[in-house]
Amino acid sequence: MCGGPMGLYDLVNRSPGIPAVAERALQYDSLVHDGNRLTTSDGEPYRSIESPLPVSEADVVGLSMVNSGDLHSALRLLDLAGIPRRAVERKSGVHPLVVRQ
């Protein structure tokens, strides 16, 4: 994993002047492959490591990809979180802002 996302994670969580909390959500081995899609083994919403809130309830979701070959993983994770893949399909106030590194 490159240092950029972890540096941003640390900066947000250590800066008292930033009224936000950064959390992490990963593609982990216990996710179930359903064809070309991922699901959680218990059918529960995809959550971050740090809290029980679903990823889809975040204000901003950042995707970090090392190379273009990782694009399929990013799309799978958006699907898993219930966030539309295309920006034009996401609605402000309903879906998080999605940014990619």
Side-chain angles (χ1 to χ4, degrees):
M1 176 184 236
C2 62
M6 291 309 296
L8 182 59
Y9 172 86
D10 187 59
L11 174 71
V12 168
N13 287 332
R14 286 181 186 258
S15 300
I18 299 176
V21 175
E23 299 182 7
R24 300 164 291 169
L26 307 170
Q27 181 173 324
Y28 42 87
D29 290 339
S30 64
L31 293 173
V32 177
H33 287 267
D34 181 14
N36 202 22
R37 305 227 178 228
L38 295 172
T39 61
T40 57
S41 59
D42 54 8
E44 290 293 315
Y46 181 51
R47 303 177 189 285
S48 75
I49 295 169
E50 289 86 2
S51 79
L53 292 176
V55 171
S56 62
E57 291 186 19
D59 293 322
V60 179
V61 171
L63 300 171
S64 176
M65 293 178 277
V66 176
N67 60 52
S68 61
D70 290 337
L71 181 59
H72 71 283
S73 292
L75 296 174
R76 283 182 184 165
L77 291 175
L78 287 173
D79 291 344
L80 179 62
I83 301 169
R85 292 179 173 190
R86 298 173 48 92
V88 70
E89 296 170 357
R90 295 191 289 266
K91 296 180 177 118
S92 179
V94 175
H95 301 108
L97 172 66
V98 177
V99 295
R100 179 181 69 86
Q101 173 199 10

